[in-house]
Amino acid sequence: MVDWQKSVVSNGGVRLAVFEVGTDSGAPEAGSRPTVLLIHGWPDSHHLWTHVAPVLAEDFRVVAYDCRGFGESDRPDGDDPYRLDLLADDIFAVAEAISPDQPVHVVAHDWGSVQAWEAVTRRGAETRIASFVSVSGPNLDHLAEWARGSLSRPTPRNVGRAASQVASSAYTVFFQLPVLPRLFFGATGSPAVWREFLYRVEGTPRENVVVGDTLRDDMISGLRLYRANIRAKLRRPSTRDTHVPVLEVVNERDIALRPAIFDDTHRHTQRLWRRSTPTGHWLPYTNPGYLARTARDFIAGQTGTADSASQFDRARVFGTPKPLSGKLAVITGAGSGIGRETALALAEQGCELVLADIDLAAADDTARESKTFGVQASTFAVDVSDTAAVTAFAEAVRDRHGVADIVVNNAGIGLAGGALDATDEQVDRLLDVNLRGVISGSRAFGRQMVDRGVGGHIVNVASAAAFTPQRSLGLYSASKAGVLLFSESLRAELAEHRIGVSAICPGIVDTNIVGNTPIAGLDTETEASQRDRMNRFYQRRGFTPDRVARDIVRAVIRNKAVVPVTPEAKVGYRIYRFTPWLSRFAARQKVTR
Ligand code: NAD
C-alpha cells in the first residue's frame, strides 16, 4: 500500500487535497529529484494511482491530488466551477505549491488528461509543466476540430470513424441529463459494482481497483465535468498549440475513445510521442506496471537521465500516424525475399525494426534500405535452428530496444524430393529451421509479451504446402503444417493476453528460396538442372515477395488467423478443406515444370 502524506492547497477558495508518496513507501528522499504530478479522471480519486505511484517513486518525487468535486477535495456547487479553465488553474496552483522552483511532469488519465491538455495549451505552460503523459483523455478542442474535419470531408472512412466515436461517446449524453444519472449512480455506485464493471469491460483484475469511501459521491458530483464542458467545447473549440513535450498513450481498445481521434494531435503539439497498444481505458488499474514504466522512461528521456530515452525515439510523431507507427517489429530471415520485403513494408508503416538473419551482411543491406523510410533498424546474426541463440536474441532485443510489439518468424529453407531419399541431416536441418525456429521465436518473444501485459502480434510464415500435399514435398509440407497448426493453437492460447497470432501461407513466390533448395535423391547434375527449371518456373509465375509483405502487414492490423497468399494458395486451402479427395488425387501426380 502507498503511504500517502496529505496536505491541502487552495485555489480561489477551493481546497484541494494533495497526496505525496511518503518515504515509508520505499521511495528515497525527495532531494532534487524531478516531481511527477498525477491527475485522475472520472469517477476516480488519487487512489487510481495506487499501483503506478510506487513504481514512479523509485525515480521521482510523486504527488497526486483529488480534483475539485472528488475525494477529499471541496465540491463547489453548480456546474460553472467545473469549467476546464478553472480546473487548469487548479493544476497550476498545485504545481506551484509542491514545486515552486522546478516545473513538474504531469501524468494524467481520462478527465485528468482533458484538464491537463487545457493547462499545457496555455501560453507559457512549459515554465510550470516540463512534460505531459496523456492517457485516454483527449484535448476537447482537438476532438471538436477532428469531428468537424471528418464531417466536412464525408468520405466513407471519415464518416465511419466519426460514427464509431459518436457511438463510443453515447454515454456522455446520458451523463448530461438532469436527474437520471444521479439516480442511476446513487443506486449502483458501490465499489463492488464498479470493480465488477471494470473486470467485465476490460478484464481489470478486481484486486487492482482501489477506490476511496467517496466513490458514489464522486460519480455523481463528477457528472458536472460533462455538463460544464462538453457542449461548450464542441460548439466553440479554440485550438491552441503546446510547447510542452507530450506522450500520448493510446489505448486501442478504449471503450470511450476511438484511436482515430488522436490522429491529428501532431498538428498542435510541437514535440509529440505516441505509444499505442491493444489495451483498454483504465490502464492505471489494468496495466499499472506498463503505464508506470512507460511514463518513467518518457520522463527520464525528457530529463536526459536515461538510456531508455532511446526506446522512445521510435515513438516520436511527425505526421498523421499509421496503424503500426512507433511499434517495435522483429523479423527473422530479413536478409532476403519475403523477410526483406516485410521489413520494408513495416518500415513504411513507421515501425522500428530489429532484423535477424543467419547472413548478417544480407540483414545489414535490408536495414540500410529500411532506414530510407526514416526509421531505426538494427541487425543481429541469428541461426533460428539454435534454440539457445533465439532465446539469447530475444533477451538482447528486450534489453536494448524493449519488448517487441510484432514478431515475424519468417526464416525458412526448402527441401524437395522424396521423403525416403532425403538424408537424416537434411530432415533434421529442415525441421530445426522451419519448425523449431518458429516455435522458439514464438515462445521467447511471446513470453515477453505476456509478461509486459499489453498485447502484441506474432506472425509465423508457413506455406500453402501446409495444406497442399505433394509427393515430392512431403518433408517441407510437414514442417509447414506444423507451423500452421502450432500458430492456430498458439492463437487460442494467447488470445486472453490480447496477443494475435497469424499464419501466413504463400504459394509460389519468386525469391531466392528455390535456388537454395536441395532436391533429395538426385545426382548433382540432375539436381542442378531441375533446380534451374523450378527457378525459371517461379520467375515466370512472377508473384513478388512485396505482395506477401503487404498481406503480412494487413494480417497484423486486422489480426487475421490464417492468410493464404497467391491465388493457388487460396484455391488449395479451400480444396483441402472442402474436397480433400481432390487434394489427395492431385498430390499423387508427377509434376514436370
Ligand atoms: P529466401 O531464401 O529468399 O529468404 C530466406 C531468408 O532466411 C534468407 O535471408 C536466409 O539467409 C534466411 N535464413 C535461412 N535459414 C536461416 C536460419 N537458420 N536462421 C536465420 N535465417 C535464416 O526465402 P523466402 O522465399 O523469402 O522464404 C521466407 C519464408 O517464406 C520461408 O519460411 C519460406 O519457407 C516461406 N515460403 C516461401 C515461399 C516461396 O515461394 N518463396 C512459399 C511459401 C512459403
Side-chain angles (χ1 to χ4, degrees):
M1 268 301 167
V2 195
D3 166 35
W4 293 111
Q5 296 182 353
K6 184 180 164 187
S7 60
V8 172
V9 171
S10 286
N11 176 37
V14 176
R15 283 170 310 145
L16 301 166
V18 175
F19 300 86
E20 177 163 354
V21 177
T23 45
D24 290 356
S25 303
E29 288 299 331
S32 59
R33 290 177 304 144
T35 300
V36 175
L37 178 61
L38 305 172
I39 311 176
H40 67 83
W42 181 95
D44 302 303
S45 63
H46 69 283
H47 293 290
L48 174 77
W49 305 107
T50 299
H51 310 289
V52 174
V55 181
L56 289 173
E58 290 167 13
D59 297 284
F60 309 111
R61 179 182 170 220
V62 178
V63 181
Y65 72 98
D66 288 346
C67 297
R68 58 171 71 195
F70 293 87
E72 298 172 39
S73 290
D74 283 353
R75 299 167 193 265
D77 291 335
D79 295 342
D80 201 50
Y82 295 87
R83 286 193 338 252
L84 282 178
D85 55 324
L86 298 173
L87 295 164
D89 288 346
D90 287 351
I91 296 177
F92 286 113
V94 173
E96 181 70 35
I98 61 171
S99 177
D101 302 325
Q102 292 292 329
V104 300
H105 298 267
V106 168
V107 179
H109 175 249
D110 186 83
W111 271 98
S113 169
V114 175
Q115 300 167 45
W117 270 115
E118 185 74 16
V120 298
T121 50
R122 213 171 256 185
R123 189 188 293 269
E126 61 278 12
T127 60
R128 284 261 38 101
I129 299 177
S131 74
F132 169 31
V133 177
S134 161
V135 188
S136 283
N139 178 316
L140 291 187
D141 297 307
H142 296 173
L143 180 59
E145 189 183 80
W146 174 84
R148 284 166 186 227
S150 298
L151 296 176
S152 67
R153 294 183 307 276
T155 59
R157 178 169 175 266
N158 283 351
V159 171
R161 287 170 10 149
S164 165
Q165 179 55 48
V166 167
S168 295
S169 312
Y171 75 96
T172 63
V173 176
F174 172 69
F175 278 21
Q176 291 175 68
L177 297 176
V179 184
L180 267 180
R182 290 176 66 94
L183 294 175
F184 178 78
F185 289 116
T188 62
S190 75
V193 172
W194 187 234
R195 279 190 193 102
E196 199 54 28
F197 171 76
L198 295 186
Y199 171 72
R200 300 269 158 142
V201 165
E202 58 183 65
T204 310
R206 293 181 184 89
E207 65 278 12
N208 278 13
V209 183
V210 179
V211 295
D213 301 336
T214 54
L215 178 70
R216 181 176 280 120
D217 293 341
D218 296 345
M219 284 179 163
I220 293 170
S221 91
L223 294 169
R224 291 181 277 207
L225 290 172
Y226 294 84
R227 291 198 295 265
N229 297 299
I230 291 189
R231 264 178 298 171
K233 278 288 184 186
L234 292 182
R235 270 197 214 128
R236 286 182 304 281
S238 67
T239 317
R240 289 158 292 151
D241 292 0
T242 180
H243 299 279
V244 174
V246 178
L247 167 65
E248 210 161 40
V249 177
V250 177
N251 293 310
E252 294 159 8
R253 298 188 179 192
D254 195 316
I255 46 162
L257 302 165
R258 306 312 310 140
I261 67 170
F262 301 107
D263 280 1
D264 292 341
T265 310
H266 64 280
R267 292 187 202 281
H268 305 291
T269 310
Q270 296 191 345
R271 285 180 291 162
L272 175 67
W273 287 257
R274 180 178 156 116
R275 270 283 157 88
S276 184
T277 46
T279 35
H281 185 83
W282 268 277
L283 205 58
Y285 282 143
T286 312
N287 305 93
Y290 167 74
L291 175 57
R293 286 190 300 276
T294 302
R296 180 195 62 199
D297 291 351
F298 177 69
I299 296 166
Q302 296 306 316
T303 52
T305 55
D307 295 347
S308 50
S310 64
Q311 291 187 14
F312 264 90
D313 289 351
R314 67 168 176 273
R316 185 89 191 252
V317 178
F318 294 101
T320 305
K322 294 186 175 165
L324 303 181
S325 290
K327 307 234 178 205
L328 176 64
V330 174
I331 304 161
T332 67
S336 168
I338 294 168
R340 175 187 166 82
E341 293 299 332
T342 302
L344 298 178
L346 289 172
E348 196 187 357
Q349 281 280 323
C351 293
E352 179 187 345
L353 304 177
V354 175
L355 308 177
D357 204 290
I358 199 167
D359 179 348
L360 183 62
D364 285 340
D365 270 353
T366 306
R368 253 189 304 281
E369 201 170 327
S370 304
K371 286 177 185 167
T372 60
F373 291 94
V375 301
Q376 294 183 21
S378 33
T379 54
F380 284 78
V382 182
D383 178 348
V384 298
S385 70
D386 178 347
T387 304
V390 172
T391 308
F393 167 53
E395 281 165 11
V397 171
R398 185 191 50 207
D399 295 347
R400 287 184 218 169
H401 304 272
V403 174
D405 301 296
I406 301 165
V407 173
V408 185
N409 291 303
N410 160 76
I413 54 175
L415 175 61
L420 309 188
D421 297 324
T423 64
D424 291 348
E425 290 72 26
Q426 284 175 323
V427 175
D428 287 347
R429 182 73 190 156
L430 178 79
L431 295 179
D432 283 351
V433 175
N434 285 12
L435 183 54
R436 185 192 292 276
V438 168
I439 292 175
S440 311
S442 300
R443 278 159 46 86
F445 287 101
R447 282 194 196 109
Q448 293 181 5
M449 288 176 181
V450 170
D451 285 349
R452 183 178 64 164
V454 294
H457 204 100
I458 297 174
V459 175
N460 292 333
V461 179
S463 166
F467 43 73
T468 316
Q470 288 171 63
R471 54 184 296 154
S472 60
L473 219 54
L475 295 166
Y476 182 76
S477 285
S479 72
K480 292 302 186 177
V483 170
L484 176 58
L485 252 284
F486 170 68
S487 304
E488 291 245 50
S489 308
L490 191 68
R491 182 179 173 88
E493 183 181 340
L494 299 184
E496 64 186 286
H497 300 286
R498 282 169 274 134
I499 299 169
V501 180
S502 302
I504 308 295
C505 303
I508 297 166
V509 183
D510 183 15
T511 67
N512 293 329
I513 197 165
V514 176
N516 296 322
T517 294
I519 307 174
L522 300 181
D523 60 72
T524 321
E525 214 173 297
T526 324
E527 185 187 19
S529 83
Q530 270 214 20
R531 202 185 287 129
D532 274 357
R533 275 220 308 275
M534 285 261 285
N535 229 342
R536 282 198 299 278
F537 171 71
Y538 270 60
Q539 283 162 3
R540 274 202 311 278
R541 170 75 183 78
F543 197 98
T544 48
D546 55 309
R547 295 166 73 183
V548 186
R550 232 181 295 155
D551 276 9
I552 289 177
V553 170
R554 211 173 298 142
V556 176
I557 293 171
R558 300 192 186 158
N559 191 15
K560 299 255 189 194
V562 179
V563 184
V565 189
T566 70
E568 66 277 7
K570 291 184 174 123
V571 171
Y573 191 48
R574 277 158 190 84
I575 289 179
Y576 188 66
R577 286 168 71 192
F578 301 119
T579 53
W581 59 268
L582 181 55
S583 171
R584 285 181 209 124
F585 172 77
R588 284 200 297 274
Q589 308 313 306
K590 285 197 170 157
V591 182
T592 44
R593 286 169 177 137

